Structure formats: C-alpha cells, structure tokens
C-alpha cells in the first residue's frame, strides 16, 4: 500500500509562511485525490485542504481559506500545501493522505485511506 511521506514542517512566528510537501509513490498517483489534515493532541483530526486527481477541484476548511493553497504535480507525484499568514492556532501535526480509491472526490466527504506519518508545524505568537 502506498504511504505518503510528508516534509517541510517546522517552526515559524505568527504571520509567517511555511510550505509542506508530500511524496506518494506509485504509477497511479494521478488518479487519486489527495488531502492535508491536521491534528492537535486531544482534538479530532481536521480536514484542512484537498484536491481531486487533476487538481481542478479543491476544498479548504473555513479556518484556512484565503491563507493556505493546495496544489499537486502529477509528473513528480507530489502534493503541496503553502501556508501563509500563519496563526498560533495553526499549530498541529499535519498529515498527507490519499483517497481510498481512484477517481473519487467528494470534497470534505472524500474517504481517505492512506496516511503519512505526519510533520509538526509550530506557530509562535
């Protein structure tokens, strides 16, 4: 089973920017929707952003809309999350995930089946 691998987390001051990247192997990458989630200890995992297999349809949680941008490069088999105007409440472990089946995209209702190990993002005030 393909397991996405995240990179790019770190620490930044409020108002700053960070970029996350996710690599997913396999020749079928271009047929799967991808997404970014985040989780804070003691809280439920939050679907932050996602996009369909072509990148033509995207979803953003209200909490990040206008600040985060998700994109994908199917030739390089990567999906990225550019995070701008970061706030302390964006602090979390961020996970990359792949949809559970190809050509399946339902926005926030998309079922994701493969998860990365996560990368920590810390925003200080």
């Amino acid at each position: 089973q393909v397991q996405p691998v995240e990179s790019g987390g770190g620490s930044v001051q409020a108002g700053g920017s960070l970029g996350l990247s996710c690599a997913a192997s396999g020749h079928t990458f271009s047929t799967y929707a991808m997404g970014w989630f985040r989780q804070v200890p003691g809280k439920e995992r939050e679907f932050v952003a996602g996009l369909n297999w072509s990148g033509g349809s995207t979803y953003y949680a209200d909490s990040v809309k206008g600040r985060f941008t998700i994109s994908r490069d199917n030739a390089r088999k990567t999906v990225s999350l550019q995070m701008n105007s970061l706030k302390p409440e964006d602090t979390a472990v961020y996970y990359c995930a792949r949809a559970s089946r190809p050509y399946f995209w339902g926005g926030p209702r998309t079922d994701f089946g493969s998860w990365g190990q996560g990368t920590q993002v810390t925003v200080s005030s």
Side-chain angles (χ1 to χ4, degrees):
Q1 187 177 8
V2 172
Q3 182 176 31
V5 178
E6 305 94 341
S7 62
S11 298
V12 66
Q13 288 193 328
S17 298
L18 275 177
L20 303 182
S21 185
C22 171
S25 61
H27 64 280
T28 58
F29 176 83
S30 62
T31 67
Y32 284 83
M34 299 292 294
W36 286 96
F37 292 74
R38 66 186 181 187
Q39 190 166 24
V40 175
K43 293 189 176 181
E44 288 192 2
R45 185 166 53 198
E46 178 187 13
F47 184 24
V48 174
L51 74 177
N52 72 343
W53 51 91
S54 69
S57 178
T58 58
Y59 164 84
Y60 294 96
D62 287 342
S63 57
V64 306
K65 202 170 292 183
R67 300 188 297 121
F68 289 14
T69 302
I70 188 171
S71 61
R72 68 188 297 159
D73 185 332
N74 283 341
R76 297 185 177 184
K77 301 179 183 178
T78 59
V79 59
S80 301
L81 185 68
Q82 180 62 38
M83 305 182 292
N84 298 328
S85 302
L86 283 161
K87 305 175 181 180
E89 51 265 42
D90 294 318
T91 295
V93 177
Y94 283 71
Y95 298 89
C96 177
R98 192 188 77 167
S100 60
R101 57 187 187 272
Y103 301 116
F104 173 49
W105 172 245
R109 295 179 298 279
T110 302
D111 182 41
F112 289 87
S114 298
W115 298 84
Q117 293 297 311
T119 185
Q120 176 71 44
V121 171
T122 302
V123 184
S124 58
S125 57

